[in-house]
Amino acid sequence: MTLRPFRPEDAEDVLALYGNPDVVRYLYGEPLDRQKLPEALERRLRPPMLSSAGDVLELAAELRTTGEFVGAMTFFHRSDEHRRGEIGYTISPAFAGRGFAGEGATALLGIGFDHLGLHRVEGQCDARNLASARVMERVGMRREAHLHEHEFVKGEWTDTVIYSMLAAEWGAPRGR
């Protein structure tokens, strides 16, 4: 898999991914529709930058062999002072269960630790999203919290689980 900046020609893939109710079930927003696609794509087309806290890097993931769109990988630069970041990933159902989320999560951890020199990288998900939690565990992140009825999302109280990895743990052997 290759991670690359989004391109205008990714529009239909972005719509298919984020317009799928099953894909966005555990995300904050409602399914993307064609009317909101230009705004969603414009945000992803901004030049990638992670120079300071608050910056967000959104990358398209594609198969190296065919160029097929696999999903999206996101890195949030959360704090300069605390040297903290957060990862996120969204995989197309056509490619789910094939290790791409883990491959992307590992690449995002590398961005945080190897390129930005962060101390801590976190990930969080709706506690019902067992697949996402398994990805974070597989890449060596530690489950640190289960926040009960943490947020009111899409008309219901949801639990959140939080995972993290420290820079010192990134270098430790874990089958990478």
Side-chain angles (χ1 to χ4, degrees):
M1 186 173 75
T2 298
L3 300 183
R4 60 161 174 79
F6 276 91
R7 303 184 290 235
E9 56 268 25
D10 293 323
E12 291 303 315
D13 291 321
V14 168
L15 181 60
L17 182 65
Y18 292 104
N20 184 328
D22 291 332
V23 170
V24 300
R25 177 177 182 203
Y26 301 121
L27 300 179
Y28 292 114
E30 295 297 330
L32 182 65
D33 60 28
R34 192 163 294 283
Q35 195 173 24
K36 293 186 180 177
L37 177 61
E39 178 186 336
L41 188 61
E42 186 273 327
R43 186 181 80 242
R44 288 171 175 84
L45 291 175
R46 290 183 191 136
M49 186 179 296
L50 279 178
S51 59
S52 61
D55 288 345
V56 178
L57 176 65
E58 295 191 77
L59 299 169
E62 68 180 16
L63 291 182
R64 279 192 191 114
T65 53
T66 64
E68 288 175 273
F69 182 85
V70 172
M73 303 292 156
T74 308
F75 192 93
F76 304 90
H77 189 159
R78 294 293 189 206
S79 173
D80 287 325
E81 179 183 2
H82 305 291
R83 295 178 32 219
R84 189 171 60 84
E86 182 179 338
I87 63 170
Y89 39 84
T90 309
I91 301 295
S92 168
F95 296 98
R98 295 169 47 188
F100 294 117
E103 185 178 341
T106 299
L108 293 172
L109 289 166
I111 289 170
F113 295 124
D114 299 335
H115 297 290
L116 296 175
L118 298 180
H119 172 70
R120 175 185 174 90
V121 176
E122 300 169 356
Q124 63 177 315
C125 65
D126 185 303
R128 299 170 295 180
N129 191 346
L130 301 178
S132 184
R134 280 193 300 268
V135 168
M136 289 185 272
E137 290 168 0
R138 252 193 323 273
V139 300
M141 298 179 84
R142 171 186 48 263
R143 184 174 174 152
E144 291 192 332
H146 184 134
L147 307 175
H148 296 274
E149 295 187 9
H150 177 238
E151 295 180 313
F152 194 73
V153 180
K154 298 179 183 171
E156 63 182 326
W157 287 106
T158 61
D159 291 6
T160 301
V161 290
I162 299 173
Y163 287 79
S164 77
M165 179 181 283
L166 301 176
E169 296 165 328
W170 173 244
R174 49 176 205 289
R176 280 197 292 136

PDB file of all heavy atoms in Angstrom, residues 138-140 165 167-176:
ATOM      1  N   ARG A 138      -2.950  -4.556  17.501  1.00  0.00           N
ATOM      2  CA  ARG A 138      -2.021  -5.283  16.635  1.00  0.00           C
ATOM      3  C   ARG A 138      -0.755  -4.495  16.343  1.00  0.00           C
ATOM      4  O   ARG A 138       0.318  -5.081  16.187  1.00  0.00           O
ATOM      5  CB  ARG A 138      -2.702  -5.667  15.325  1.00  0.00           C
ATOM      6  CG  ARG A 138      -2.991  -7.132  15.207  1.00  0.00           C
ATOM      7  CD  ARG A 138      -3.379  -7.605  13.823  1.00  0.00           C
ATOM      8  NE  ARG A 138      -4.197  -6.717  13.041  1.00  0.00           N
ATOM      9  CZ  ARG A 138      -5.526  -6.660  13.062  1.00  0.00           C
ATOM     10  NH1 ARG A 138      -6.200  -7.452  13.862  1.00  0.00           N
ATOM     11  NH2 ARG A 138      -6.176  -5.833  12.294  1.00  0.00           N
ATOM     12  N   VAL A 139      -0.863  -3.164  16.245  1.00  0.00           N
ATOM     13  CA  VAL A 139       0.329  -2.369  15.945  1.00  0.00           C
ATOM     14  C   VAL A 139       1.119  -2.017  17.199  1.00  0.00           C
ATOM     15  O   VAL A 139       2.119  -1.306  17.132  1.00  0.00           O
ATOM     16  CB  VAL A 139       0.004  -1.098  15.112  1.00  0.00           C
ATOM     17  CG1 VAL A 139      -0.635  -1.473  13.793  1.00  0.00           C
ATOM     18  CG2 VAL A 139      -0.837  -0.110  15.892  1.00  0.00           C
ATOM     19  N   GLY A 140       0.674  -2.517  18.347  1.00  0.00           N
ATOM     20  CA  GLY A 140       1.441  -2.358  19.575  1.00  0.00           C
ATOM     21  C   GLY A 140       0.984  -1.233  20.480  1.00  0.00           C
ATOM     22  O   GLY A 140       1.666  -0.914  21.462  1.00  0.00           O
ATOM     23  N   MET A 165       0.746   4.901  22.352  1.00  0.00           N
ATOM     24  CA  MET A 165       2.091   4.347  22.289  1.00  0.00           C
ATOM     25  C   MET A 165       3.046   5.495  22.583  1.00  0.00           C
ATOM     26  O   MET A 165       2.805   6.625  22.158  1.00  0.00           O
ATOM     27  CB  MET A 165       2.386   3.764  20.902  1.00  0.00           C
ATOM     28  CG  MET A 165       3.788   3.182  20.775  1.00  0.00           C
ATOM     29  SD  MET A 165       4.131   2.521  19.119  1.00  0.00           S
ATOM     30  CE  MET A 165       3.236   0.979  19.214  1.00  0.00           C
ATOM     31  N   ALA A 167       7.087   7.007  22.475  1.00  0.00           N
ATOM     32  CA  ALA A 167       8.236   6.933  21.579  1.00  0.00           C
ATOM     33  C   ALA A 167       9.168   5.782  21.969  1.00  0.00           C
ATOM     34  O   ALA A 167       9.682   5.062  21.108  1.00  0.00           O
ATOM     35  CB  ALA A 167       9.000   8.260  21.572  1.00  0.00           C
ATOM     36  N   ALA A 168       9.395   5.594  23.270  1.00  0.00           N
ATOM     37  CA  ALA A 168      10.279   4.519  23.736  1.00  0.00           C
ATOM     38  C   ALA A 168       9.738   3.146  23.354  1.00  0.00           C
ATOM     39  O   ALA A 168      10.505   2.208  23.135  1.00  0.00           O
ATOM     40  CB  ALA A 168      10.465   4.607  25.250  1.00  0.00           C
ATOM     41  N   GLU A 169       8.445   3.008  23.252  1.00  0.00           N
ATOM     42  CA  GLU A 169       7.823   1.736  22.868  1.00  0.00           C
ATOM     43  C   GLU A 169       7.893   1.516  21.368  1.00  0.00           C
ATOM     44  O   GLU A 169       7.898   0.383  20.895  1.00  0.00           O
ATOM     45  CB  GLU A 169       6.372   1.708  23.330  1.00  0.00           C
ATOM     46  CG  GLU A 169       6.242   1.757  24.833  1.00  0.00           C
ATOM     47  CD  GLU A 169       4.836   2.084  25.297  1.00  0.00           C
ATOM     48  OE1 GLU A 169       4.105   2.827  24.616  1.00  0.00           O
ATOM     49  OE2 GLU A 169       4.487   1.588  26.388  1.00  0.00           O
ATOM     50  N   TRP A 170       7.931   2.582  20.599  1.00  0.00           N
ATOM     51  CA  TRP A 170       7.994   2.489  19.136  1.00  0.00           C
ATOM     52  C   TRP A 170       9.240   1.732  18.706  1.00  0.00           C
ATOM     53  O   TRP A 170       9.191   0.919  17.808  1.00  0.00           O
ATOM     54  CB  TRP A 170       7.975   3.890  18.534  1.00  0.00           C
ATOM     55  CG  TRP A 170       8.193   3.945  17.055  1.00  0.00           C
ATOM     56  CD1 TRP A 170       9.247   4.533  16.421  1.00  0.00           C
ATOM     57  CD2 TRP A 170       7.344   3.433  16.024  1.00  0.00           C
ATOM     58  NE1 TRP A 170       9.106   4.409  15.061  1.00  0.00           N
ATOM     59  CE2 TRP A 170       7.927   3.734  14.793  1.00  0.00           C
ATOM     60  CE3 TRP A 170       6.140   2.737  16.025  1.00  0.00           C
ATOM     61  CZ2 TRP A 170       7.383   3.382  13.570  1.00  0.00           C
ATOM     62  CZ3 TRP A 170       5.576   2.382  14.821  1.00  0.00           C
ATOM     63  CH2 TRP A 170       6.186   2.695  13.610  1.00  0.00           C
ATOM     64  N   GLY A 171      10.339   1.963  19.364  1.00  0.00           N
ATOM     65  CA  GLY A 171      11.572   1.296  19.002  1.00  0.00           C
ATOM     66  C   GLY A 171      11.686  -0.122  19.517  1.00  0.00           C
ATOM     67  O   GLY A 171      12.558  -0.881  19.102  1.00  0.00           O
ATOM     68  N   ALA A 172      10.820  -0.521  20.433  1.00  0.00           N
ATOM     69  CA  ALA A 172      10.884  -1.866  21.020  1.00  0.00           C
ATOM     70  C   ALA A 172      10.458  -2.911  19.999  1.00  0.00           C
ATOM     71  O   ALA A 172       9.571  -2.671  19.190  1.00  0.00           O
ATOM     72  CB  ALA A 172       9.991  -1.937  22.256  1.00  0.00           C
ATOM     73  N   PRO A 173      11.074  -4.100  20.037  1.00  0.00           N
ATOM     74  CA  PRO A 173      10.682  -5.156  19.108  1.00  0.00           C
ATOM     75  C   PRO A 173       9.235  -5.589  19.336  1.00  0.00           C
ATOM     76  O   PRO A 173       8.811  -5.796  20.454  1.00  0.00           O
ATOM     77  CB  PRO A 173      11.631  -6.313  19.434  1.00  0.00           C
ATOM     78  CG  PRO A 173      12.636  -5.779  20.374  1.00  0.00           C
ATOM     79  CD  PRO A 173      12.124  -4.491  20.928  1.00  0.00           C
ATOM     80  N   ARG A 174       8.472  -5.675  18.271  1.00  0.00           N
ATOM     81  CA  ARG A 174       7.087  -6.152  18.368  1.00  0.00           C
ATOM     82  C   ARG A 174       6.607  -6.732  17.055  1.00  0.00           C
ATOM     83  O   ARG A 174       5.439  -6.685  16.725  1.00  0.00           O
ATOM     84  CB  ARG A 174       6.146  -5.062  18.876  1.00  0.00           C
ATOM     85  CG  ARG A 174       6.276  -3.776  18.198  1.00  0.00           C
ATOM     86  CD  ARG A 174       5.253  -2.759  18.670  1.00  0.00           C
ATOM     87  NE  ARG A 174       5.105  -1.836  17.579  1.00  0.00           N
ATOM     88  CZ  ARG A 174       6.023  -0.962  17.223  1.00  0.00           C
ATOM     89  NH1 ARG A 174       7.141  -0.881  17.883  1.00  0.00           N
ATOM     90  NH2 ARG A 174       5.836  -0.194  16.198  1.00  0.00           N
ATOM     91  N   GLY A 175       7.531  -7.238  16.269  1.00  0.00           N
ATOM     92  CA  GLY A 175       7.124  -7.926  15.051  1.00  0.00           C
ATOM     93  C   GLY A 175       6.803  -7.016  13.888  1.00  0.00           C
ATOM     94  O   GLY A 175       6.121  -7.404  12.979  1.00  0.00           O
ATOM     95  N   ARG A 176       7.355  -5.774  13.927  1.00  0.00           N
ATOM     96  CA  ARG A 176       7.107  -4.867  12.797  1.00  0.00           C
ATOM     97  C   ARG A 176       7.817  -5.367  11.573  1.00  0.00           C
ATOM     98  O   ARG A 176       8.944  -5.768  11.605  1.00  0.00           O
ATOM     99  CB  ARG A 176       7.605  -3.457  13.093  1.00  0.00           C
ATOM    100  CG  ARG A 176       6.666  -2.680  13.923  1.00  0.00           C
ATOM    101  CD  ARG A 176       6.937  -1.195  13.872  1.00  0.00           C
ATOM    102  NE  ARG A 176       8.198  -0.854  14.510  1.00  0.00           N
ATOM    103  CZ  ARG A 176       9.076  -0.003  13.987  1.00  0.00           C
ATOM    104  NH1 ARG A 176       8.853   0.557  12.858  1.00  0.00           N
ATOM    105  NH2 ARG A 176      10.179   0.288  14.633  1.00  0.00           N
TER     106      ARG A 176
END
